[in-house]
Amino acid sequence: MESIDPLEQTLHTARARVLADLAAGEVAAADVVSMVEDSVVQRRWWVEQWPDGAEFVAGLVAQDVQDALLETHGRWPLCPVCGSGDPHALEVEPELGPDPHWVCHKAGVRVAAVGSLGAAAGGTPSP
């Protein structure tokens, strides 16, 4: 059995984490999955140019898809923590760093790691 190239493993992991969050929000339609694939292609080039940035790829793919969805479908993912007021989207933090999380700036809490929004559906912030 061949080992998987570290770059490919990083990209597959990023893809899987973002797809899990999309599925948790029931927005993983074919056109949205295509947005994920487009981002992965772009980030493959990016990480080939800057190999030390590999640990940032999951957060960057999540941000890319969030931006693409805003243009075509609206805000995503909507905050599951704030029960009142205008619906608002979560943001990825750090913007460029390892261990990306979805954060609600309005409530000032971490909601879930990128890839774990399904576990946060009840609105319980992660530590």
Side-chain angles (χ1 to χ4, degrees), residues 16-126:
R17 290 174 71 179
V18 174
L19 287 172
D21 287 345
L22 289 164
E26 299 179 1
V27 292
D31 63 328
V32 177
V33 173
S34 292
M35 292 175 189
V36 176
E37 296 304 322
D38 291 345
S39 174
V40 169
V41 167
Q42 293 171 9
R43 294 304 173 177
R44 174 178 282 114
W45 177 88
W46 182 84
V47 81
E48 285 171 347
Q49 306 308 305
W50 188 42
D52 291 342
E55 64 186 331
F56 309 152
V57 171
L60 292 169
V61 170
Q63 290 175 49
D64 291 346
V65 172
Q66 186 178 41
D67 291 345
L69 279 170
L70 181 60
E71 293 177 16
T72 60
H73 293 79
R75 292 175 285 197
W76 175 85
L78 292 178
C79 180
V81 176
C82 298
S84 62
D86 291 331
H88 56 277
L90 300 174
E91 296 179 27
V92 174
E93 277 194 5
E95 286 187 31
L96 184 61
D99 192 28
H101 279 73
W102 293 108
V103 174
C104 172
H105 284 284
K106 194 172 192 178
V109 296
R110 268 199 220 184
V111 176
V114 169
S116 299
L117 275 178
T124 305
S126 64

